[in-house]
Amino acid sequence: MTTLNLGVVGNCSFSALIDPKASIVWCCLPRFDGDPIFNALLAGTEDPADGLFSIRLEGLAETEQHYEPNTAVLVTRLHGSSGSVEIVDCVPRFFWRDRIFRPQTLVRRIRPIAGTPRISVHVRPTFAYGTVRPQITRGSNHVRYIGPETTLRLTTDAPIDYVIDETRFNLTAPLDFVFGPDETLSGSVSDTARDFEERTIHYWRGWVSNLALPFEWQDAVIRAAITLKLCTYEPTGAIIAAMTTSIPEAPNSGRNWDYRYCWLRDAFFVVRALNSLGTVQTMENYFRYLMDIVADAGGGHLQPVFGVGRERQLTENILENFAGYRGMGPVRSGNQAYEHYQHDVYGNAILGATQIFFDRRIEMKPTLHDFRLLESAGEQAYRLHNQPDAGMWELRSRSRVHTSSSLMCWAACDRLAHIAAQMGESARVRYWRERADEIKERILAEAWSEKRKAFVESFGGETLDASVLLMAEVGFIDARDPRFVSTVDQLEKVLATGPHMKRYEAADDFGKPEVAFNICAFWRLDALARIGRHEEARDIFEALLKARNPLGMLSEDTHPVTGEMWGNYPQTYSMVGIINAARRLSKPWETVV
């Protein structure tokens, strides 16, 4: 059965997902939100005809998979009646000629490790979202896959006839495959593949060695950090929410969305998590991306989501030719959320930029002009803090004054006051502090429900929503304030199932939510730790770590009963939660005996 037990390889330009049998089942080119040339993940069948790159072992009986330690290089071992093979997958990323080299290239290296394994190689890309099969031509050591707009090339030292015809053969010596642009390799395929792998391993281990890790749960944090890094689109600085589209949030729910874009909300949390580990380059790149967006808005409406190249229009389409994950369509490209009014976006934009005004490690120094641009977003936050919107959960048929949106509008004004102080703009400190205080007073008055003994999801509302847990995280309220403590208690009673937590209790466009939203569980344990219920928070964290797949990753949602992962994958929000929780809960090394 198709699952989200998938390895991830990438180079901060594109990525690929690989199943436990070493099949590449998802890969978009030329970038994350591009054409899924390998798309078997959404074919709706266990043995799709197209859209994969697989190495098949005769008599397959067992598989195992792991990453080379502290890298994004994936190792898969297949064991069968004829023997065993090891497949190493990487997407090259390393420094070359004083700059990062990140080609649109997949490298697969395969070697026999026991017996005389009999294998077949199946390379079946498609184009135009699975609607066009390529024209195939061959050379002495390569195969070309010609599509309507692009041509891809597989260079290999495997027998070309066997590759084209998918003929089974005995693997008696290592073989290498380099798949990517239609370009001739400058050296032999074996030398190139080995060099790319070794340099990529060296790059990732060097990157990890510079992380400021907590004492406990270091392996989990390292995997989360690498995964977040892989979700950054380095050419522009964008950060995607996930690598996939249309993995249902719950079985047969119809909650199938395309997450291969940059939500300013999610990106802020990613930047903050990576900053907490001491890696600031992502923040600097994202700041450039973000400030271009703010400048484009010119003090007006900021949409919540953009393409990785800052595309504004992400028209949503149904792809009828795909049956969907496990046959659970629809499959969508594009996301209607770009049309939404989500007022928390102003706070997330300013929060995403704040640290760069204070961090002396950053070479690029923000200017007074940058501050003025952020102020234009702050004016929108103040203007809209008490106006209805779709909210952070992107409700498509209901508009309210959402507490979480107003909270982030407060955060926008609050952080602008801090930035103004840093910039020596005393008059602007007073200006933004007055606005922040005004919004805070309104939230405390209108978002509190005496009936529910909790802060609720909207002004004057009565239903519970986990997003109010962010009140403590962004510094709006002291975590030990009786109102916040009571809110946490009520949320646990209504939304929590064991370590898991749902987003909200009210029905939405598709009915009542069935699954738990992973980031909400991490918000909960953060709140518990702040309140003083530290051991409870640690127990929840340990349980959530067990919900990861064998490679240490999480999707968007977890079914609280079956424990199965649902929703798009890997989800940056969820991986952020792992980093934040480990840093919040880890014991200092001095206290461990």
Side-chain angles (χ1 to χ4, degrees):
M1 179 174 67
T2 302
T3 72
L4 294 179
N5 180 10
L6 302 170
V8 177
V9 295
N11 64 1
C12 307
S13 178
F14 82 104
S15 61
L17 304 184
I18 302 170
D19 75 10
K21 296 180 181 179
S23 288
I24 298 176
V25 296
W26 187 256
C27 177
C28 299
L29 288 174
R31 59 189 204 180
F32 296 116
D33 55 359
D35 187 7
I37 59 162
F38 297 126
N39 47 58
L41 184 64
L42 299 181
T45 176
E46 285 297 300
D47 188 20
D50 295 304
L52 53 79
F53 183 169
S54 63
I55 311 291
R56 299 185 184 180
L57 176 66
E58 182 179 75
L60 178 65
E62 182 183 350
T63 70
E64 53 181 301
Q65 207 167 39
H66 68 273
Y67 281 102
E68 286 289 346
N70 298 347
T71 77
V73 176
L74 185 70
V75 179
T76 308
R77 292 194 177 110
L78 308 179
H79 306 283
S81 57
S82 61
S84 301
V85 299
E86 179 181 86
I87 301 147
V88 178
D89 284 291
C90 80
V91 175
R93 177 179 173 83
F94 49 85
F95 287 100
W96 190 36
R97 296 178 179 173
D98 296 322
R99 61 188 177 189
I100 281 288
F101 178 63
R102 48 172 191 271
Q104 292 175 7
T105 300
L106 286 160
V107 173
R108 313 203 77 181
R109 309 191 69 205
I110 179 171
R111 67 184 182 94
I113 55 177
T116 306
R118 286 180 60 76
I119 68 166
S120 56
V121 180
H122 304 251
V123 186
R124 304 174 184 172
T126 65
F127 296 98
Y129 279 83
T131 61
V132 177
R133 292 183 178 182
Q135 177 186 350
I136 296 176
T137 65
R138 59 185 293 167
S140 56
N141 295 104
H142 71 265
V143 183
R144 299 170 74 239
Y145 301 89
I146 303 169
E149 295 182 359
T150 188
T151 297
L152 299 171
R153 177 186 293 232
L154 176 72
T155 305
T156 181
D157 46 11
I160 292 298
D161 297 84
Y162 293 171
V163 172
I164 291 176
D165 297 334
E166 300 180 353
T167 303
R168 190 174 296 165
F169 63 96
N170 291 333
L171 181 69
T172 57
L175 295 176
D176 297 286
F177 302 84
V178 177
F179 181 88
D182 185 24
E183 300 170 355
T184 302
L185 296 184
S186 58
S188 74
V189 63
S190 59
D191 288 344
T192 300
R194 182 176 61 254
D195 183 55
F196 280 5
E197 178 195 342
E198 290 174 352
R199 287 174 179 250
T200 300
I201 288 174
H202 179 74
Y203 167 81
W204 283 111
R205 287 182 175 161
W207 186 80
V208 168
S209 71
N210 289 316
L211 297 178
L213 298 172
F215 177 76
E216 296 183 274
W217 304 295
Q218 290 191 7
D219 288 340
V221 171
I222 288 169
R223 185 51 49 201
I226 290 174
T227 304
L228 293 182
K229 180 71 172 175
L230 291 177
C231 289
T232 65
Y233 184 68
E234 206 164 56
T236 65
I239 302 169
I240 59 171
M243 294 177 180
T244 59
T245 177
S246 305
I247 308 298
E249 291 182 13
N252 297 300
S253 64
R255 301 171 188 261
N256 300 21
W257 317 114
D258 192 347
Y259 277 12
R260 301 172 299 155
Y261 306 111
C262 182
W263 271 260
L264 303 190
R265 177 190 310 112
D266 302 50
F268 154 63
F269 284 100
V270 171
V271 165
R272 190 181 64 165
L274 289 177
N275 287 350
S276 74
L277 298 177
T279 173
V280 297
Q281 186 62 52
T282 299
M283 175 177 64
E284 188 170 353
N285 291 343
Y286 177 65
F287 181 77
R288 295 188 182 97
Y289 176 85
L290 177 64
M291 294 308 293
D292 276 329
I293 287 172
V294 173
D296 288 343
H301 168 64
L302 262 184
Q303 64 189 60
V305 58
F306 293 82
V308 298
R310 294 204 342 262
E311 293 82 4
R312 297 176 57 87
Q313 188 165 324
L314 307 175
T315 304
E316 191 170 293
N317 298 295
I318 303 294
L319 305 176
E320 302 287 357
N321 56 300
F322 289 129
Y325 180 77
R326 296 192 195 170
M328 299 177 189
V331 172
R332 292 182 169 93
S333 68
N335 198 302
Q336 186 196 348
Y338 83 93
E339 299 177 336
H340 289 185
Y341 285 80
Q342 298 173 24
H343 299 157
D344 67 315
V345 68
Y346 302 99
N348 288 306
I350 292 168
L351 285 165
T354 297
Q355 185 175 336
I356 205 164
F357 286 86
F358 296 87
D359 200 321
R360 296 189 179 276
R361 295 171 295 175
I362 305 298
E363 292 184 12
M364 181 188 66
K365 302 303 179 186
T367 65
L368 191 59
H369 175 70
D370 293 322
F371 173 57
R372 298 293 184 229
L373 284 175
L374 291 179
E375 283 195 301
S376 69
E379 293 291 358
Q380 280 286 86
Y382 175 71
R383 188 158 46 243
L384 297 170
H385 76 272
N386 60 351
Q387 299 301 307
D389 73 343
M392 70 180 302
W393 306 127
E394 301 181 339
L395 302 176
R396 296 190 170 205
S397 62
R398 187 174 71 210
S399 182
R400 296 175 180 172
V401 182
H402 289 93
T403 303
S404 58
S405 295
S406 191
L407 171 67
M408 287 301 174
C409 289
W410 168 84
C413 297
D414 175 78
R415 296 324 193 259
L416 283 171
H418 287 289
I419 296 171
Q422 177 72 4
M423 302 293 287
E425 297 282 306
S426 56
R428 305 308 290 172
V429 174
R430 292 190 298 272
Y431 180 88
W432 290 112
R433 179 54 52 209
E434 288 173 1
R435 278 150 182 75
D437 290 345
E438 179 185 339
I439 297 173
K440 183 172 186 176
E441 184 177 345
R442 188 156 199 164
I443 293 172
L444 293 175
E446 298 196 37
W448 173 259
S449 169
E450 189 62 30
K451 178 180 178 181
R452 299 301 300 268
K453 300 297 182 185
F455 290 108
V456 291
E457 55 88 29
S458 61
F459 284 10
E462 291 189 353
T463 62
L464 300 182
D465 188 309
S467 63
V468 301
L469 292 171
L470 290 171
M471 285 181 164
E473 189 166 334
V474 300
F476 175 83
I477 195 170
D478 190 303
R480 295 179 185 263
D481 185 298
R483 292 166 294 184
F484 186 75
V485 173
S486 178
T487 297
V488 174
D489 290 341
Q490 297 307 313
L491 287 170
E492 287 192 297
K493 290 176 184 177
V494 176
L495 299 181
T497 301
H500 305 292
M501 198 163 204
K502 295 180 181 178
R503 286 178 284 185
Y504 39 77
E505 65 174 332
D508 60 20
D509 310 333
F510 295 83
K512 285 199 171 186
E514 176 185 344
V515 296
F517 199 70
N518 289 323
I519 190 59
C520 296
F522 289 109
W523 291 344
R524 173 196 180 191
L525 68 82
D526 180 81
L528 292 176
R530 291 174 187 270
I531 288 170
R533 294 163 58 183
H534 204 267
E535 291 306 314
E536 290 178 65
R538 286 178 63 92
D539 289 344
I540 291 171
F541 186 37
E542 291 287 0
L544 292 173
L545 289 178
K546 291 177 182 177
R548 297 175 301 160
N549 69 16
L551 291 169
M553 283 173 281
L554 286 167
S555 63
E556 180 184 45
D557 308 279
T558 300
H559 198 290
V561 177
T562 67
E564 188 172 4
M565 296 197 306
W566 291 92
N568 283 304
Y569 173 90
Q571 179 78 2
T572 54
Y573 243 160
S574 301
M575 305 310 289
V576 161
I578 293 172
I579 293 172
N580 291 347
R583 288 185 53 80
R584 169 70 58 188
L585 299 173
S586 176
K587 297 174 182 176
W589 66 267
E590 297 94 337
T591 67
V592 179
V593 178

